[in-house]
């Protein structure tokens, strides 16, 4: 009998034909919406492989409903939606899509940083509302970049790609990370390893790239915001829950920091209400990896991981840990 692969969402080009060509029986959700929990539970029954999204929660209950499962291939680099320990305990491999979305996500972080620094969201709203009356010496003045300090929280591949782009803007880079990165990388990025509190106090811009886990959840809480400069701009293209979103609304409203650019949200896709009416926050709909190149490469890598594991070979990109 052909191994069964369950795919939870329609994917962009090149699509999942390689799975069919590999002789697997592919069962796929053909509607572009996240599956309901009961649909996901039903879909994994009898599946040997699961190709899932960051919106699919893969926990013990789900793994128990899928006794034949050998691999969970996540269409994302983050994997906080998956209980990796529970999967590996059952001999199920978990894979992610690192590398291929690094540049796309770093570009988006910069798009948000620039947009937040220079009031692009507010400016766009003004123009579209037909309320712009012309150039003004005093209108929508933003923050400069050159000679400013960019703090990077989480210096993995994406954090490093963000740091590399900072050189073009003439910024000084400080970073914090669970481990200090190799000195050659630090040197090439001209990046200084600091403690979180130091980063919070010194940075004019902060960009978040730490994975979501028990250590990073609400890392940006009232204590952290209290250490930041009132002119600071916060950018998040990682995971929403690294920020206490209710508290972010308070600090943005009271101008205890200048602005924020968000691509991810604590209760995604729900947006904490106060955010929607603030002018000093730019809101993007989780577009970090959304370039045609990155998304295509993510499809290829997800499928390759499934082909390899079902053939009894090691995964190409297993989830770390
Ligand atoms: C997107 O958020 C990802 O983790 O790839
Ligand atoms: C503004 O458009 C300027 O030319 O300074």
């Amino acid at each position: 009998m052909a191994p069964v692969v369950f795919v939870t969402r329609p994917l962009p080009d090149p699509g999942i034909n390689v799975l069919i060509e590999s002789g697997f029986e592919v069962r796929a959700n053909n509607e572009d919406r996240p599956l309901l929990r009961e649909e996901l539970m039903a879909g994994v029954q009898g599946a040997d492989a699961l190709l899932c999204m960051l919106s699919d929660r893969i926990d013990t209950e789900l793994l128990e409903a899928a006794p034949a499962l050998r691999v969970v291939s996540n269409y994302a680099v983050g994997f906080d939606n998956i209980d990796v320990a529970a999967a590996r305990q059952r001999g199920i491999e978990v894979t992610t899509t690192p590398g291929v979305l690094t540049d796309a996500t770093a570009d988006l972080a910069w798009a948000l940083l620039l947009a937040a620094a220079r009031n692009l969201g507010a400016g766009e709203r003004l123009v579209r509302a037909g309320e712009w009356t012309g150039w003004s010496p005093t209108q929508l003045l933003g923050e400069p970049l050159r000679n400013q300090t960019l703090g990077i929280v989480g210096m993995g591949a994406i954090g490093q790609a963000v740091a590399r782009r900072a050189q073009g803007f003439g910024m000084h880079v400080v970073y914090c990370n669970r481990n200090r990165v190799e000195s050659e990388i630090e040197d090439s990025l001209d990046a200084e390893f600091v403690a979180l509190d130091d980063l919070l106090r010194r940075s004019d811009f902060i960009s978040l790239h730490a994975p979501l886990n028990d250590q990073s959840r609400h890392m940006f809480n009232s204590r952290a915001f209290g250490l930041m400069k009132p002119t600071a701009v916060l950018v998040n293209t990682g995971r929403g829950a690294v920020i206490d979103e209710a508290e972010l609304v308070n600090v943005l409203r009271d101008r205890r920091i200048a602005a924020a650019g968000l691509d991810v949200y604590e209760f995604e896709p729900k947006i904490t209400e106060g955010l929607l009416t603030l002018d000093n926050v730019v809101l993007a709909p989780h577009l970090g990896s959304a370039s045609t190149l990155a998304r295509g490469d993510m499809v290829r890598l997800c499928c390759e991981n499934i082909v390899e594991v079902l053939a009894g070979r090691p995964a190409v990109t297993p989830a770390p840990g």
Side-chain angles (χ1 to χ4, degrees):
M1 237 172 54
V4 173
V5 183
F6 182 54
V7 183
T8 67
R9 193 111 185 217
L11 294 171
D13 285 342
I16 55 174
N17 276 337
V18 66
L19 297 176
I20 298 163
E21 287 155 14
S22 301
F24 304 142
E25 179 188 333
V26 177
R27 299 179 192 156
N29 163 31
N30 293 317
E31 283 178 56
D32 189 21
R33 61 170 178 86
L35 289 178
L36 300 171
R37 180 70 180 170
E38 55 265 32
E39 293 172 319
L40 184 61
M41 293 286 292
V44 295
Q45 275 178 36
D48 297 276
L50 172 64
L51 198 170
C52 61
M53 309 298 121
L54 50 90
S55 44
D56 299 321
R57 184 164 43 86
I58 312 303
D59 55 10
T60 301
E61 184 195 30
L62 188 115
L63 296 169
E64 304 227 301
L69 206 56
R70 290 162 62 193
V71 54
V72 175
S73 178
N74 208 36
Y75 187 71
V77 68
F79 51 90
D80 48 281
N81 58 310
I82 302 174
D83 188 338
V84 177
R88 294 217 166 118
Q89 242 168 42
R90 290 168 173 75
I92 300 168
E93 184 56 290
V94 177
T95 70
T96 64
T97 61
V100 294
L101 45 60
T102 300
D103 283 328
T105 308
D107 289 347
L108 203 274
W110 276 96
L112 284 174
L113 189 155
L114 288 161
R118 297 298 299 275
N119 296 307
L120 274 192
E124 234 246 350
R125 283 187 290 281
L126 185 77
V127 174
R128 282 185 189 272
E131 285 168 8
W132 185 48
T133 53
W135 187 91
S136 153
T138 55
Q139 188 170 58
L140 292 175
L141 306 186
E143 304 298 328
L145 270 59
R146 183 162 300 280
N147 296 327
Q148 302 293 92
T149 296
L150 170 63
I152 296 180
V153 177
M155 198 59 143
I158 299 171
Q160 290 175 28
V162 169
R164 197 165 302 119
R165 285 153 175 74
Q167 295 182 331
F169 288 97
M171 298 175 84
H172 178 60
V173 174
V174 297
Y175 77 96
C176 60
N177 196 51
R178 205 170 31 152
N179 302 307
R180 187 166 180 169
V181 303
E182 289 164 38
S183 58
E184 297 90 83
I185 298 177
E186 266 186 11
D187 290 348
S188 76
L189 299 174
D190 207 4
E192 185 188 341
F193 183 58
V194 297
L196 176 65
D197 285 6
D198 201 17
L199 180 146
L200 293 168
R201 287 194 191 96
R202 286 170 62 185
S203 297
D204 301 292
F205 297 85
I206 296 178
S207 191
L208 304 186
H209 305 285
L212 177 63
N213 51 40
D214 291 342
Q215 288 75 50
S216 66
R217 188 176 300 277
H218 281 199
M219 184 191 283
F220 280 71
N221 52 18
S222 59
R223 193 198 75 89
F225 288 126
L227 295 176
M228 288 170 66
K229 297 185 184 185
T231 49
V233 173
L234 178 64
V235 174
N236 191 5
T237 52
R239 282 293 179 269
V242 172
I243 297 177
D244 178 344
E245 209 163 271
E247 189 55 23
L248 177 65
V249 170
N250 294 333
V251 297
L252 284 171
R253 190 194 48 227
D254 303 344
R255 304 279 161 162
R256 283 184 272 143
I257 68 171
L262 306 178
D263 190 42
V264 289
Y265 303 89
E266 186 171 1
F267 307 106
E268 212 167 304
K270 191 171 159 285
I271 312 288
T272 296
E273 205 181 298
L275 281 177
L276 296 174
T277 51
L278 288 171
D279 238 6
N280 55 343
V281 60
V282 180
L283 306 171
H286 205 147
L287 295 176
S289 65
S291 79
T292 46
L293 178 68
R295 288 285 169 86
D297 285 346
M298 288 165 69
V299 174
R300 281 189 202 90
L301 193 48
C302 271
C303 292
E304 207 182 329
N305 275 307
I306 289 172
V307 169
E308 291 305 295
V309 175
L310 291 187
R313 293 187 291 263
V316 188
T317 46

